[in-house]
Amino acid sequence: FFQNDCHPVACPANTMGTFVSSGCTCMPGMAGTIKATTSPPYYQNDCQVLQCPQNSTGSDLVSGCTCKPGFKGQVIATTVAPYYYKSTCEPVACPKLATGINVASGCSCLDGYS
């Protein structure tokens, strides 16, 4: 109930922004929305942490993801829909004197090499 004046509600933890009334957004690597409401806590926070993308490993985008063995590049959490990340993980080519397409799918040394 009203008690003399109104004060802006701070954006919830793990979101970006200052006050709910001026807009909050989910942190990089999270998807969802924060909406102002008229009852405590005066917002609805639907931000969800997203899993690491294909060819990477880690707990989730917020905690950090790295390319799987046999891949090179990086995974960067963003606030851009629809994926909320940018990944440059790509397979590492087989080295010289080896056969195969890439390290991730398997390489074999040529005869006479180990």
Side-chain angles (χ1 to χ4, degrees):
F1 75 105
F2 183 72
Q3 294 182 347
N4 300 331
D5 56 4
C6 299
H7 300 281
V9 174
C11 289
N14 299 318
T15 65
M16 298 186 306
T18 305
F19 299 113
V20 173
S21 58
S22 57
C24 309
T25 57
C26 299
M27 296 291 286
M30 300 177 85
T33 58
I34 299 98
K35 296 178 184 176
T37 65
T38 56
S39 58
Y42 304 104
Y43 59 82
Q44 179 181 344
N45 181 356
D46 295 329
C47 295
Q48 300 291 319
V49 175
L50 300 174
Q51 298 302 307
C52 292
Q54 184 176 356
N55 300 328
S56 70
T57 185
S59 301
D60 54 64
L61 284 168
V62 174
S63 299
C65 307
T66 56
C67 297
K68 287 183 176 178
F71 291 83
K72 64 180 179 178
Q74 61 182 351
V75 179
I76 301 169
T78 71
T79 57
V80 180
Y83 304 112
Y84 301 96
Y85 69 86
K86 180 180 179 181
S87 176
T88 59
C89 293
E90 61 182 35
V92 174
C94 289
K96 291 181 181 180
L97 305 175
T99 60
I101 298 172
N102 56 55
V103 174
S105 62
C107 303
S108 298
C109 292
L110 295 174
D111 291 346
Y113 294 88
S114 61

